[in-house]
Amino acid sequence: MAEPLFLRACRGEPVERTPVWLLRQAGRYQPAYRALREQHSLLELIRTPELAARVTLLPVDAFELDAAIVFSDILPPLVGMGLELDFVKGDGPRIGIPVATTRDVDLLGAPPAEETMPGTLEAIRIVRRELEPRGVPVIGFAGAPFTLASYAIEGGTSKDFAKTKAFMLSEPAAWKRLLGKLVTVQADYLLAQAAAGAQALQVFDSWAGRALGREDYLRYVAPHNRELFGKVSAAGVPVINFSLGVSAYLSDAAACGGDVVGLDWTLALDEAWERVGFERPVQGNLDPVSLLAPWRELRFRIDDVLDRAAGRLGHVFNVGHGLTPQTPEDNVRRLVEHVRERTSV
């Protein structure tokens, strides 16, 4: 069996058509997922391998996507480090007792993922067994150090990241220790996912680009991201570096590492790719809200992304952030079919 399109595109190799998968492709826009959520909490779905595998497979079965990303969340590894986590309906993730002092940082542990994340690792094994005969690869993922640190310090999502930035600026030594621990935990977790059967890995840096200017990013974030990508390269599978909101310093974020650069929607794909370097594969970058538009407008926007990628190797079609809960399933189906039809040789 030929190697899957997605993996070949991630290596910049020739493909018969552009592979397509979608961030948050398993989630609230699917009625089948919502039915499961009526019976189980989010953490129950994540921690129960059979349920996580079932959710992972829902969009692949429905839309014949070119890759599956294991159903999980970036935050559960914080629990293994000693923090309390809950997902509050209508409010999002909540950390019970956030990190507030240097002592809080020093009390955090860094246990191995095999002990703290066994459900996700087993879910990957289940999905790999199911999808390998179908030629669909499995993607594992984890959050980047700054993004996890911001949740740990803020206690949840934030508009201004004031607590995180104040801690970063006032306690630089403790900040370095905190991100060092997160690098250790996340590198081990990503390597464990690859060992469990993940054929590609993605690192999500959701908040650094929203919170920091270029100089602070280079000083307080980039060294830790470089260390993380350096360690994860030992997995021997393609690694995707996805940083949201870093258009002002995209080349700096991309330089931290990874084989593929995930692009958000804030720059046209060809301009963003030029900043990254055309020799590097990219993933993206349709605005996910485009899927709420009528088909004529959605098709125009899909074509615009494909036209800007035309003639170059190494493009994986995706949205520039996660699908919204309001996304119509029919638009997901039509998107996938259109990318296939437009790009097939």
Side-chain angles (χ1 to χ4, degrees):
M1 183 181 296
E3 189 174 41
L5 287 172
F6 167 74
L7 296 179
R8 281 186 277 150
C10 285
R11 297 190 176 101
E13 297 172 1
V15 291
E16 301 87 77
R17 60 171 176 79
T18 301
V20 53
W21 72 279
L22 304 169
L23 300 176
R24 290 189 193 155
Q25 62 189 25
R28 291 174 289 175
Y29 74 97
Q30 286 193 286
Y33 172 80
R34 294 197 296 270
L36 282 172
R37 282 288 278 117
E38 289 177 1
Q39 303 172 50
H40 306 279
S41 72
L42 180 57
L43 286 174
E44 285 175 339
L45 289 180
I46 291 170
R47 291 169 174 166
T48 308
E50 295 77 14
L51 291 174
R54 182 176 169 187
V55 175
T56 301
L57 293 169
L58 283 175
V60 180
D61 292 339
F63 310 117
E64 297 185 7
L65 293 148
D66 291 307
I69 187 165
V70 66
F71 180 76
S72 187
D73 189 87
I74 62 171
L75 296 181
L78 293 177
V79 177
M81 298 179 73
L83 296 173
E84 299 175 4
L85 172 66
D86 193 15
F87 289 90
V88 181
K89 188 174 182 179
D91 195 30
R94 284 287 160 205
I95 302 296
I97 304 176
V99 170
T101 67
T102 59
R103 185 172 183 271
D104 293 338
V105 172
D106 294 333
L107 289 174
L108 293 174
E114 288 285 355
E115 294 180 8
T116 62
M117 298 296 295
T120 297
L121 299 180
E122 181 59 24
I124 289 172
R125 296 184 187 101
I126 294 171
V127 174
R128 175 71 184 267
R129 288 196 295 269
E130 173 70 25
L131 291 182
E132 189 154 35
R134 294 157 61 178
V136 178
V138 184
I139 305 169
F141 71 91
F146 179 91
T147 290
L148 289 187
S150 72
Y151 279 107
I153 295 170
E154 301 287 342
T157 55
S158 174
K159 292 182 178 179
D160 58 14
F161 301 92
K163 293 178 182 178
T164 303
K165 293 164 74 172
F167 190 91
M168 180 184 80
L169 296 172
S170 61
E171 299 289 351
W175 174 262
K176 186 176 181 179
R177 293 198 301 277
L178 172 59
L179 266 66
K181 287 187 177 185
L182 289 167
V183 167
T184 297
V185 168
Q186 297 301 79
D188 178 78
Y189 180 36
L190 288 162
L191 292 170
Q193 290 181 72
Q199 293 143 285
L201 301 168
Q202 177 156 302
V203 176
F204 287 86
D205 205 348
S206 302
W207 300 132
R210 297 285 183 91
L212 303 177
R214 180 174 183 266
E215 294 307 314
D216 281 340
Y217 179 87
L218 291 175
R219 180 177 178 183
Y220 294 105
V221 175
H224 305 287
N225 283 1
R226 285 196 296 269
E227 182 183 4
L228 177 62
F229 284 110
K231 290 184 174 183
V232 175
S233 65
V237 301
V239 179
I240 304 165
N241 173 354
F242 178 69
S243 298
L244 185 65
V246 296
S247 294
Y249 44 88
L250 176 59
S251 60
D252 298 305
C256 290
D259 305 289
V260 182
V261 179
L263 303 173
D264 69 18
W265 69 94
T266 55
L267 287 174
L269 185 131
D270 51 351
E271 181 183 351
W273 203 344
E274 184 175 17
R275 294 191 192 184
V276 169
F278 288 127
E279 74 285 351
R280 194 111 166 256
V282 297
Q283 175 179 281
N285 68 333
L286 181 73
D287 184 344
V289 177
S290 299
L291 279 96
L292 304 184
W295 173 242
R296 64 182 183 278
E297 179 65 25
L298 173 56
R299 182 176 58 190
F300 170 80
R301 290 169 178 253
I302 296 168
D303 286 340
D304 184 62
V305 173
L306 293 174
D307 289 343
R308 292 175 185 275
R312 297 189 183 95
L313 298 177
H315 178 226
V316 176
F317 191 96
N318 208 316
V319 282
H321 198 219
L323 295 178
T324 67
Q326 301 82 16
T327 301
E329 275 196 305
D330 190 53
N331 274 359
V332 176
R333 181 173 294 104
R334 295 179 82 172
L335 179 155
V336 175
E337 291 174 352
H338 187 65
V339 171
R340 286 173 175 267
E341 292 169 3
R342 260 290 313 265
T343 63
S344 294
V345 176

